[in-house]
Amino acid sequence: MKTHTRAVVIGGGVVGVSVLYHLAKLGWSDVVLVERSELTSGSTWHAAGGMHTINGDTNMSYLQSYTVKIYEELERESGQSCGIHRVGCLYVAANEQCNDYFKMERARARHLGLDLEFVSMEEVKKINPLIETKHFISALYDPNDGHVDPSSVTNAYAKAARNKGAEIYRNTPVVELKPTASGGWLVVTPQGTIETDVVINAAGLWGREVGAQVGINLPIMPMEHMYVVTNDIPEVAALAREIPMTIDFDGESYMRQEGKGLLIGTYEKDARHWSVDGTPLQFGHELLENDLDRITDAMAVAMERYPCLVEGGIKRIINGPMIFAPDGNPIIGPVRGLKNYFVATGVMAGFSQAGGVGLAVAQWVIDGEPGMDVFAMDVARFGDHVNKSYVLEKTMENYRRRFTITCPNEELPGARPLKASPVYDKLKAEGAVFGATNGWEYPLWFAPKGVEPVEKPSFRRSNAFPHVAAECKAVREQVGLFETSSYAKFDVAGKGAEAFLNGLMTNKLPSKDGRAVLCPMLTPKGRVLGDLTVTRLTGERYLLIGSPTATEYYMRWFQAHLPGDGSVAVRDVTAEWMGFSLTGPKSREVLSQLTTEDISHTGFPFLSARQMTIGLVKALVIRVSFTGELGFEIYCEPKSQRHILERLLVAGAAHGLKLCGVRALNSLRLEKGYGSWGREFSVDYNAAEAGIDKLVKLEKGEFIGRAAAAAALKAGGKRKLAIMTVDVSDTDPIGNEPVLQNGKVIGRLTSAGYGHTIGTAVALSYLPVDIVNAGGKVEIEVLGEMRPARILAEAPYDPSGARMRA
Ligand SMILES: Cc1cc2nc3c(=O)[nH]c(=O)nc-3n(C[C@H](O)[C@H](O)[C@H](O)COP(=O)(O)OP(=O)(O)OC[C@H]3O[C@@H](n4cnc5c(N)ncnc54)[C@H](O)[C@@H]3O)c2cc1C
């Protein structure tokens, strides 16, 4: 056994071997995998082996398509069969909502170059003669899907990794992990200790236990999962060729052929967690006790869908534990506060996802960044509110909803309300319809008196539309008030604060107290990692404000780059500063009634920040806005927020002040062409493409990503952020739809929505530079319909920014 290596992967399930393979493939051949028992000893051995590319998140879909396409290559490299049955998958819809979901997925697949196609019921019957088509209204077919043999795949990854120099030690449990002074790890096993630069926790069902060895609580929980294999069925035996897998969303089941019988699985509503307090160390190749009663209803529906099932009789029931994260996505990446420690766990669909997970994690380990935006899987998408109780509630919700269609405008109720500002009840009484981000409740829109504050889930324009329109109108013509407490806020303080921030931010920091600037951050490869408003409170104290979703993500980045000399401290102060955004042409008049400060344009210019008394309490006011109108962000202590709200409502009444939500904010910022974190500002794009060159000050000295940004800016981007108007009828694009020109896909939307001021839909997308510069017409596929769109030379609303600077 080696005593020194570059990376140790803990766990020999399908995820661990994929990480190992990809490390070796990308050039790190001196790597090791340690497995407690035999390979596949966790969830992997009893999986049904189904593989699918379809996923609500586009980058996840991309990585899934990578995963399902890798098996042939693995077979070639390893000489080991993966037991590939590329029989395709039929996704069947029994209602219009599911049909809309298919249309959305079909369009997104077009951008990824996948072959997802709608097929008629006659074709369905031809490719799966066992199905009773009268229950369905549409079907999608993906020829790339199918199933593989779990053990064979695991062994193929292992062999291919070994061929590239990696080593695998079986029956070698990791019992302790000790950090070394040089930032590496000692991996302690009964067979000996290995010193390594990097550790990757891929311990699947034991991810929690291996995490506990370094003092972290990973947000994952095992769930029981059952599938049934039937006896031989004459209709199946008589088939000329293997039928495709079939997923029936309405019936909540998946089905595939298993020999001359069928295999049916379901994500039952009456679900069960397993081993809540920890996975037993001895657990291995055992199954759990069956509980057929919990899946009887779904099986009864399956018998209607596939009538020949009635003749089958059950040959075998598999009930095994599988690991789940609160949102059902994998949990990968470096862990905040631990040097050179990565996770690759929470993978509940290993045969669809392990390849992509392995690729992203290996790139992250080797390059310091994952190669694409994998935030949907990033361990840093969970904030400090994610404790065991939260994980229990959300994993139960997620498991039960595995085949339930979630609409783009739908907010799931699990574990809510969790974090709420002091004005939550007051806003609720005013008609607020809430969403949740990073655990915080925030208003999506406000239902006027007499209107029920409920938004109907839909892929199309929802009942919120006219009310959002009214909110936008108030902001453009009078004044709107947004509650913004959920925004991520960081206090950066100390003698070294300025130098620390200068090393991270691309823009020059404010040179005076009471000034704010917009500051992007880049990865070492010059990709857009973040965008923050940085306000200088004093020379040694800065307040940073950014997207709520990125709170933990930013904290991880800050912490990883703190100097070791204690000269600067970063604190997440999100819960200490509640917020409002007061914006619109009348906002100054409203605010001036509540303060004696000079807030005129000259007394308080754009990007100023000042502590002032609002009503009877202290607040920090910053002159910025995301709507394109004159605006003020107001931050105060939690105890003062109610007071400020009441005073603003009273002062605003005479000026038509309206409470507004994030749906309106999105429409308003789109009309201005403002990018948003996680959409336009993401590691998928560099500074040249994102058009943030004015905020990248190469002359200011060294900062992370500077050399790459200089090169990118010099070369110019191949793509450029384009703003378009889209002709729509009653359905708006929402983001991720493909953009086509002359029938060829040229990009995908990063964000889109209806522009209530300009009276048409507006969309943002990274498109080839020459196409953007030429302007002209493109098409956007919105729920199956090609919609004409026009590339604009500038934002359709107030392109000079005069209104905001008024
Ligand atoms: C009934 C059932 C059906 C399923 N069907 C499908 C399907 O059709 N398609 C699909 O994609 N997915 C399916 N899954 C899910 C799939 O099995 C998992 O996504 C996948 O196996 C997860 O792999 P993993 O490597 O993350 O974890 P695991 O398979 O749990 O592997 C973890 C490994 O880590 C090892 N380990 C743990 N602790 C230590 C330690 N301290 N030291 C060293 N080694 C350690 C374990 O022994 C184990 O081998 C199914 C799951 C179940 C339960």
Side-chain angles (χ1 to χ4, degrees):
M1 183 162 132
K2 281 188 175 181
T3 52
H4 286 79
T5 189
R6 292 185 92 172
V8 171
V9 180
I10 304 173
V14 67
V15 173
V17 289
S18 169
V19 174
L20 186 77
Y21 165 76
H22 282 94
L23 283 170
K25 187 174 181 178
L26 296 178
W28 276 30
S29 52
D30 178 14
V31 286
V32 159
L33 182 146
V34 283
E35 163 54 45
R36 179 188 65 110
S37 171
E38 296 294 336
L39 297 181
T40 78
S41 292
S43 288
T44 297
W45 73 272
H46 52 230
M51 52 172 183
H52 309 277
T53 55
I54 198 167
N55 188 296
D57 181 276
T58 306
N59 280 7
M60 290 274 298
S61 256
Y62 168 78
L63 289 174
Q64 290 191 192
S65 75
Y66 171 82
T67 302
V68 309
K69 285 179 180 166
I70 205 173
Y71 294 119
E72 280 86 358
E73 186 183 329
L74 270 185
E75 287 189 339
R76 277 193 300 277
E77 282 191 29
S78 64
Q80 154 82 52
S81 159
C82 289
I84 307 168
H85 291 243
R86 206 170 285 286
V87 289
C89 183
L90 269 174
Y91 300 89
V92 284
N95 54 54
E96 282 303 336
Q97 206 165 60
C98 189
N99 191 29
D100 277 349
Y101 169 63
F102 287 178
K103 287 181 184 167
M104 189 182 82
E105 285 295 325
R106 169 68 199 96
R108 290 178 177 184
R110 210 186 282 285
H111 172 254
L112 294 172
L114 301 174
D115 312 315
L116 222 55
E117 281 303 345
F118 275 96
V119 287
S120 68
M121 283 304 139
E122 290 73 47
E123 284 168 287
V124 168
K125 197 77 198 164
K126 244 187 254 163
I127 50 182
N128 181 356
L130 308 182
I131 198 166
E132 181 52 83
T133 50
K134 72 174 183 199
H135 301 290
F136 304 108
I137 59 169
S138 75
L140 260 189
Y141 179 64
D142 187 340
N144 294 306
D145 292 0
H147 58 100
V148 285
D149 177 61
S151 296
S152 306
V153 165
T154 309
N155 286 316
Y157 271 123
K159 276 192 181 164
R162 280 199 195 100
N163 290 348
K164 293 180 191 304
E167 294 189 12
I168 296 178
Y169 307 130
R170 292 171 298 130
N171 301 307
T172 307
V174 174
V175 292
E176 200 181 352
L177 285 170
K178 295 190 215 167
T180 64
S182 60
W185 293 92
L186 294 179
V187 181
V188 183
T189 79
Q191 280 67 39
T193 296
I194 311 172
E195 185 169 357
T196 179
D197 299 340
V198 181
V199 158
I200 300 117
N201 171 357
L205 273 184
W206 293 265
R208 292 175 297 170
E209 285 67 30
V210 171
Q213 291 175 351
V214 293
I216 54 170
N217 293 312
L218 288 174
I220 45 178
M221 192 57 72
M223 305 286 308
E224 291 190 18
H225 180 60
M226 272 182 276
Y227 66 80
V228 168
V229 179
T230 70
N231 295 313
D232 290 356
I233 299 174
E235 279 93 329
V236 180
L239 289 168
R241 66 173 188 98
E242 184 174 345
I243 51 170
M245 296 196 67
T246 304
I247 293 188
D248 169 11
F249 286 89
D250 186 58
E252 310 210 61
S253 71
Y254 60 88
M255 185 278 279
R256 71 165 169 83
Q257 189 172 334
E258 173 80 358
K260 292 176 184 166
L262 296 177
L263 180 156
I264 317 269
T266 180
Y267 291 84
E268 65 280 10
K269 298 286 182 233
D270 187 10
R272 297 281 186 278
H273 287 110
W274 177 75
S275 234
V276 166
D277 294 323
T279 304
L281 288 177
Q282 311 73 24
F283 186 80
H285 277 244
E286 301 102 286
L287 288 172
L288 308 178
E289 210 171 301
N290 301 323
D291 192 354
L292 249 187
D293 285 354
R294 291 197 283 117
I295 59 170
T296 320
D297 288 353
M299 289 302 144
V301 175
M303 283 180 199
E304 288 170 15
R305 308 312 210 209
Y306 318 106
C308 72
L309 265 181
V310 180
E311 305 158 38
I314 295 173
K315 180 156 104 189
R316 200 165 72 236
I317 304 173
I318 303 287
N319 185 11
M322 67 202 287
I323 203 85
F324 259 76
D327 56 7
N329 280 353
I331 296 205
I332 71 168
V335 174
R336 161 146 78 109
L338 293 176
K339 268 198 175 147
N340 297 317
Y341 183 94
F342 288 75
V343 289
T345 180
V347 183
M348 55 75 61
F351 298 92
S352 303
Q353 296 176 333
V357 164
L359 175 69
V361 170
Q363 287 185 156
W364 217 331
V365 167
I366 293 171
D367 296 342
E369 47 193 284
M372 65 186 299
D373 183 356
V374 292
F375 188 72
M377 302 197 275
D378 192 334
V379 60
R381 70 191 184 275
F382 298 110
D384 55 5
H385 57 282
V386 175
N387 57 19
K388 188 170 169 184
S389 310
Y390 177 91
V391 174
L392 283 168
E393 278 194 44
K394 290 299 279 185
T395 48
M396 181 58 81
E397 177 182 67
N398 193 274
Y399 182 95
R400 288 176 173 157
R401 292 183 60 93
R402 177 92 176 110
F403 283 151
T404 306
I405 304 293
T406 301
C407 293
N409 67 339
E410 198 169 353
E411 295 281 334
L412 301 184
R416 291 181 56 202
L418 184 58
K419 297 188 223 169
S421 76
V423 297
Y424 172 82
D425 289 331
K426 171 89 176 144
L427 297 179
K428 195 163 190 170
E430 296 283 343
V433 177
F434 288 95
T437 175
N438 190 31
W440 285 95
E441 295 292 318
Y442 68 106
L444 298 170
W445 58 280
F446 285 80
K449 287 210 165 39
V451 173
E452 195 190 2
V454 174
E455 186 165 351
K456 226 173 138 229
S458 175
F459 285 82
R460 293 165 187 276
R461 215 171 260 177
S462 83
N463 57 313
F465 187 82
H467 312 302
V468 174
E471 291 172 19
C472 292
K473 188 167 159 52
V475 173
R476 292 281 186 243
E477 295 175 6
Q478 293 171 305
V479 54
L481 183 64
F482 298 83
E483 205 265 349
T484 59
S485 300
S486 63
Y487 286 8
K489 295 163 227 104
F490 307 98
D491 178 84
V492 181
K495 283 196 181 347
E498 187 181 346
F500 168 70
L501 289 175
N502 256 324
L504 298 183
M505 306 292 162
T506 64
N507 202 353
K508 284 186 183 150
L509 296 180
S511 54
K512 284 195 287 191
D513 296 354
R515 294 293 296 166
V517 288
L518 300 178
C519 284
M521 295 191 290
L522 302 177
T523 69
K525 289 191 168 178
R527 314 233 136 215
V528 183
L529 181 122
D531 67 315
L532 292 148
T533 305
V534 176
T535 301
R536 180 165 140 165
L537 302 175
T538 70
E540 293 188 5
R541 169 157 260 131
Y542 294 82
L543 177 69
L544 276 50
I545 302 170
S547 165
T549 338
T551 309
E552 174 68 17
Y553 181 83
Y554 285 147
M555 271 310 279
R556 179 177 64 191
W557 189 248
F558 296 146
Q559 211 163 319
H561 295 93
L562 276 178
D565 59 6
S567 64
V568 50
V570 180
R571 280 195 317 119
D572 172 4
V573 292
T574 303
E576 294 171 30
W577 293 88
M578 299 294 101
F580 293 109
S581 168
L582 181 73
T583 174
K586 301 278 177 61
S587 55
R588 184 179 283 127
E589 284 166 63
V590 173
L591 191 62
S592 61
Q593 291 176 57
L594 303 179
T595 183
T596 54
E597 295 280 329
D598 176 7
I599 58 164
S600 66
H601 182 60
T602 43
F604 195 55
F606 186 58
L607 291 176
S608 297
R610 196 182 301 162
Q611 295 270 5
M612 52 179 91
T613 300
I614 304 287
L616 304 176
V617 296
K618 264 196 330 200
L620 173 72
V621 180
I622 310 175
R623 216 192 119 184
V624 282
S625 116
F626 200 41
T627 61
E629 300 296 334
L630 171 67
F632 303 87
E633 288 191 356
I634 304 168
Y635 295 97
C636 63
E637 290 179 89
K639 66 183 180 201
S640 306
Q641 198 195 15
R642 171 95 190 201
H643 172 80
I644 291 180
L645 175 62
E646 288 189 356
R647 292 286 166 117
L648 283 171
L649 290 176
V650 171
H655 299 280
L657 181 143
K658 206 166 175 41
L659 287 165
C660 304
V662 93
R663 297 256 196 275
L665 190 62
N666 196 42
S667 168
L668 297 162
R669 70 104 186 163
L670 279 169
E671 290 174 334
K672 284 288 299 166
Y674 290 154
S676 158
W677 185 84
R679 290 182 167 269
E680 290 72 33
F681 300 143
S682 110
V683 293
D684 284 341
Y685 313 107
N686 68 31
E689 293 168 331
I692 54 170
D693 22 333
K694 286 201 186 101
L695 304 178
V696 180
K697 300 281 166 35
L698 296 173
E699 70 280 8
K700 81 171 191 152
E702 197 48 45
F703 56 85
I704 295 176
R706 182 175 176 274
L713 291 171
K714 192 167 170 215
K718 288 204 178 79
R719 298 176 294 185
K720 186 170 161 185
L721 190 57
I723 184 160
M724 294 163 277
T725 48
V726 193
D727 290 350
V728 287
S729 55
D730 66 344
T731 302
D732 304 308
I734 54 169
N736 283 316
E737 293 84 354
V739 183
L740 296 93
Q741 196 172 52
N742 304 323
K744 191 173 153 237
V745 178
I746 54 168
R748 73 169 154 119
L749 301 186
T750 44
S751 310
Y754 194 78
H756 288 279
T757 317
I758 62 170
T760 186
V762 55
L764 298 175
S765 173
Y766 285 90
L767 300 178
V769 170
D770 49 342
I771 293 180
V772 181
N773 290 345
K777 292 179 182 166
V778 290
E779 282 186 311
I780 294 170
E781 184 179 343
V782 182
L783 288 193
E785 288 179 34
M786 291 298 173
R787 290 283 166 197
R790 177 175 294 279
I791 298 171
L792 308 177
E794 55 186 13
Y797 183 78
D798 188 29
S800 72
R803 294 178 69 89
M804 189 169 63
R805 291 186 169 77

